[in-house]
Amino acid sequence: MGKTLAVNAGSSTLKFKLFEVPSESVITSGVVERIGLKDSIVTIKYGDGKKYEDTLDVDNHEAAIQLMLDKLLDLHIIEDYKEITGVGHRIVAGGEDFTDSVLVDDDVLAKIESLAEYAPLHNPAEAMGIRAFRKILPDVPNVAVFDTSFHTSMPQVNYMYAVPYEYYERFGARKYGAHGTSHRYVANRAAAMLGKPLESLKLITLHIGAGASITAIKDGKSFDTSMGFTPLAGIMMATRSGDIDASLVAFLMQKLDIKDANDMIEILNKKSGLIGVSEYSADMRDLEKVQGHNAKAHLARDMYINRIVRYVGQYIAELGGVDAIVFTAGVGENDIPIRQEVADKLSYFGIAVDPEKNNIRGVERDLSTDAATVKTLLIPTDEELMIVRDVERLTD
């Protein structure tokens, strides 16, 4: 018996969830926001609906982790640090170096930091989180779980860009994907729901939320995925453009008198997608409420559905058929009309969703009609649980 922490450190946030193992029950979860800024916000949920909240200055990630651990003691969620037997860290970029989760040592930590150029907003913060835990809890093993590792199985024909090959050799210019931990979790759950070995299935998993990616899974491995060198590529998202003609980027920079490419990337990452098209909201729930009388909101939702259908159709062709498609993440788990419309537009593949079964949010369920030849599944993702399982697998 022990307790394992799943940690997700961002540039100014620290999210965590504490699990009892091997039961895999959640003991507590929380977040420290605005790290390094004035009036940081600490929120911890625990017990039977209890919540601790406070606002104070938290200078850095080490201070955030120390505060979190102290509060776990103060709130009697744990009675001793020794109850924590492992810590798993979500790491965005693992490049080609990490094909699986791995126990952290000095060499692994140095490599995570060296890959920061592939995820400059994430890897440095995640490395800081690891360093802090190693300092505060020196005897507790740390495991790095990479968003990209699941996608390292993609064949070269799918991950290469049609640019000079030397750019791949010299700079690692290729598709890496993201959300791998989520895609891996729901793929395994889909196999369990279908009662078949994962290795025998052709699946398309739709992790669609504020960030969104679609993955084709063949023989239990990632075969292709929509996100690219960074999470900016793929389908339209809440604030990200998704796929775009590179020449349009240069054209817009000229028209907008933008000198720094990073400023243009900022627009494509934070001011595009649903918010850019609708000029109203990045939240799909807001757009659904007003789409009846707001043409741009309606267009944004239609474009979002269109991009999903486009990728699913492409991946069915690449896989040579499909056994099931899986909806997960914020929009996938909760937006009933989006699921229905996507399925309806893919009906010629044998995909059909029963409106009555589909009238649900956030519950694992087979949504297919009896006549459907391709299953449509709703599976809430659980990346933290996947992280915890990797910690247990690597520290047994």
Side-chain angles (χ1 to χ4, degrees):
M1 292 287 288
K3 296 179 175 68
T4 298
L5 268 169
V7 176
N8 184 355
S11 57
S12 62
T13 61
L14 178 78
K15 298 177 183 178
F16 66 91
K17 192 175 283 189
L18 183 66
F19 288 76
E20 186 88 53
V21 290
S23 69
E24 298 183 344
S25 57
V26 177
I27 301 168
T28 184
S29 64
V31 60
V32 183
E33 302 173 89
R34 295 175 53 83
I35 296 171
L37 303 171
K38 291 288 184 183
D39 297 327
S40 307
I41 303 166
V42 183
T43 306
I44 299 175
K45 298 177 181 178
Y46 66 104
D48 188 15
K50 296 178 182 177
K51 181 191 286 190
Y52 167 85
E53 292 181 288
D54 197 6
T55 301
L56 68 168
D57 295 344
V58 181
D59 294 334
N60 52 49
H61 284 74
E62 184 176 332
I65 289 165
Q66 188 66 66
L67 174 63
M68 176 198 75
L69 293 171
D70 288 346
K71 288 304 172 187
L72 293 182
L73 288 173
D74 292 345
L75 298 169
H76 298 288
I77 296 167
I78 60 173
E79 300 301 329
D80 194 299
Y81 287 162
K82 292 180 181 178
E83 294 177 33
I84 299 173
T85 53
V87 182
H89 302 264
R90 178 214 179 199
I91 310 295
V92 168
E96 293 185 322
D97 301 270
F98 297 103
T99 60
D100 192 7
S101 302
V102 63
L103 273 166
V104 176
D105 57 20
D106 291 343
D107 290 340
V108 167
L109 183 53
K111 194 64 181 177
I112 290 170
E113 291 176 320
S114 75
L115 291 165
E117 63 181 333
Y118 298 118
L121 297 180
H122 298 91
N123 273 43
E126 290 150 2
M128 282 191 287
I130 292 173
R131 287 190 182 280
F133 270 104
R134 294 180 86 198
K135 180 179 179 180
I136 297 168
L137 301 176
D139 298 324
V140 176
N142 289 265
V143 171
V145 181
F146 300 91
D147 276 5
T148 51
S149 63
F150 182 60
H151 300 302
T152 57
S153 60
M154 286 189 291
Q156 192 174 31
V157 68
N158 285 340
Y159 70 68
M160 285 294 295
Y161 290 116
V163 296
Y165 195 88
E166 67 169 310
Y167 299 166
Y168 166 63
E169 294 177 305
R170 293 173 61 193
F171 311 123
R174 55 158 286 178
K175 179 190 289 190
Y176 291 103
H179 298 141
T181 306
S182 175
H183 290 293
R184 181 160 56 104
Y185 174 80
V186 299
N188 278 280
R189 285 301 311 146
M193 289 176 70
L194 297 171
K196 296 180 180 179
L198 178 58
E199 295 74 20
S200 71
L201 295 170
K202 297 175 181 178
L203 302 174
I204 299 174
T205 50
L206 288 71
H207 178 109
I208 50 175
S213 64
I214 299 176
T215 294
I217 298 172
K218 185 178 183 181
D219 303 327
K221 300 175 181 178
S222 175
F223 187 72
D224 204 351
T225 195
S226 60
M227 283 183 169
F229 179 70
T230 73
L232 178 56
I235 72 166
M236 176 183 183
M237 302 173 225
T239 63
R240 295 177 186 145
S241 66
D243 294 338
I244 192 170
D245 184 340
S247 293
L248 179 59
V249 176
F251 173 82
L252 290 174
M253 287 181 68
Q254 182 180 23
K255 292 295 184 182
L256 297 168
D257 194 27
I258 295 173
K259 306 301 183 186
D260 188 340
N262 289 324
D263 292 338
M264 190 67 224
I265 294 298
E266 181 87 355
I267 292 171
L268 296 176
N269 264 312
K270 297 185 176 180
K271 298 181 180 179
S272 302
L274 295 176
I275 185 64
V277 174
S278 72
E279 298 181 331
Y280 182 77
S281 176
D283 193 311
M284 193 64 84
R285 293 167 294 189
D286 295 338
L287 301 183
E288 183 183 2
K289 290 175 184 175
V290 303
Q291 65 174 334
H293 59 269
N294 184 321
K296 290 177 182 175
H298 195 285
L299 174 62
R301 279 179 65 91
D302 282 351
M303 288 175 64
Y304 189 86
I305 293 165
N306 171 271
R307 300 322 190 249
I308 293 171
V309 170
R310 186 181 298 176
Y311 262 97
V312 173
Q314 172 186 324
Y315 287 164
I316 291 173
E318 284 190 46
L319 291 170
V322 66
D323 296 299
I325 64 170
V326 181
F327 286 95
T328 194
V331 176
E333 293 172 25
N334 296 293
D335 198 310
I336 295 166
I338 289 282
R339 291 196 303 259
Q340 190 71 56
E341 289 186 54
V342 168
D344 289 348
K345 289 181 182 296
L346 293 166
S347 60
Y348 52 90
F349 288 118
I351 295 168
V353 161
D354 184 320
E356 196 170 312
K357 294 179 183 176
N358 188 42
N359 190 27
I360 198 163
R361 292 181 173 87
V363 175
E364 192 171 277
R365 178 178 284 186
D366 181 345
L367 307 177
S368 317
T369 65
D370 293 339
T373 57
V374 173
K375 292 290 187 181
T376 301
L377 307 177
L378 166 57
I379 302 177
T381 193
D382 198 335
E383 293 164 284
E384 292 89 355
L385 179 57
M386 204 78 226
I387 290 171
V388 166
R389 287 176 177 173
D390 280 1
V391 173
E392 296 308 298
R393 171 169 60 91
L394 292 169
T395 58
D396 272 351

